[in-house]
Amino acid sequence: MRKISVKNIIKPCVALTVVLCCFLNSFCANAASCSCKVYNWYCKRNDAHEIPALDRELAFIKDYDAYYVNENASDKVIYLTFDAGYENGNVEKILDTLKSHNATAAFFILENLIIRNPELVKRMADEGHLVCNHTAKHPDMSKINDIENFSAQLERLEKVYFELTGTEMAKIYRPPQGRFSKENLELAKKLGYKTVFWSFAYADWDNERQPDCERSLEKLLKHTHSGEILLLHPTSATNAAILDEFMTTLESEGYRFGTLNELWEK
């Protein structure tokens, strides 16, 4: 009988193992890039009052009930949205201005605002604003890819909001810092949420370095477009100072202030 060399057996086995490892590594890398790749939200702004273009790399958001603008707006409409984590006197001023214009907005809030300023949150709901989910603790949600931990952030906020108001929070979600993955959007959709980004925002969040009022107003007006979802921070002293003039100017130009539900309730 012909003797079989051990080397002749080991070599092809090693080669096969290498091939399988390379395949699995490639497969896992591709799987990660498909669902777990981290994205930072942005869109290509312009000065022509046209809807900002959506980068092709982010076109997938439409498959997950995610929106950044109302592309089908048939009139001049802007959606005012505010990311509100706390009160410093300016959130109340923002609410006063909205009330004076008989306009509603969407407030993406955190648990902290409910705990520390419950009357302010009640006022948002009572005056017809959408109170939406910005997570309980404002973590980087792109690092969370399992349904249990992802839902915990949203459901915790839902719970404290319901305990305060006796009503359900709007099923509208905005990722903290605009950081997300495909899997995040899929999980939000499974939980019954619409994800809402924005088609314009500017650097208004640093309370120690607030932008100039005149320049900020000019910047906001320069980038208006029908169907715009505008992200502002209501803790900004600049925003509190210029919001009335901004809204008055838009109204004089024929704009109205819509509610986010218009994006999917057609």
Side-chain angles (χ1 to χ4, degrees), residues 64-179:
Y64 299 97
D65 287 347
Y67 304 80
Y68 80 104
V69 72
N70 186 352
E71 297 177 290
N72 301 311
S74 58
D75 61 346
K76 300 176 75 173
V77 56
I78 286 182
Y79 304 94
L80 298 174
T81 71
F82 298 90
D83 287 2
Y86 61 94
E87 165 66 316
N88 61 354
N90 290 316
V91 180
E92 187 172 8
K93 292 176 184 177
I94 294 288
L95 286 170
D96 290 342
T97 299
L98 292 170
K99 185 175 182 179
S100 70
H101 285 264
N102 194 30
T104 56
F107 286 86
F108 290 84
I109 69 169
L110 304 177
E111 178 185 52
N112 176 71
L113 191 66
I114 297 177
I115 294 172
R116 294 181 179 275
N117 304 95
E119 293 306 316
L120 198 64
V121 176
K122 282 183 179 179
R123 179 182 173 185
M124 291 174 183
D126 291 344
E127 294 183 357
H129 302 292
L130 285 174
V131 183
C132 309
N133 205 317
H134 200 36
T135 72
K137 298 293 187 180
H138 204 267
D140 181 351
M141 296 293 278
S142 69
K143 295 180 179 178
I144 301 175
N145 292 298
D146 63 281
I147 188 70
E148 182 177 356
N149 288 313
F150 187 90
S151 62
Q153 278 292 324
L154 275 62
E155 292 174 356
R156 176 170 175 166
L157 187 65
E158 292 174 349
K159 183 176 182 292
V160 294
Y161 180 78
F162 183 81
E163 289 173 350
L164 173 68
T165 66
T167 59
E168 300 291 340
M169 173 170 276
K171 288 283 188 175
I172 306 173
Y173 162 67
R174 174 171 286 161
Q177 307 171 58
R179 288 174 60 81

Side-chain angles (χ1 to χ4, degrees), residues 215-242:
R215 290 181 180 177
S216 296
L217 181 59
E218 180 182 0
K219 182 179 293 185
L220 289 173
L221 293 172
K222 188 177 182 180
H223 292 93
T224 54
H225 47 276
S226 186
E228 175 181 1
I229 298 178
L230 175 61
L231 163 61
L232 297 172
H233 288 85
T235 49
S236 163
T238 295
N239 289 339
I242 67 175

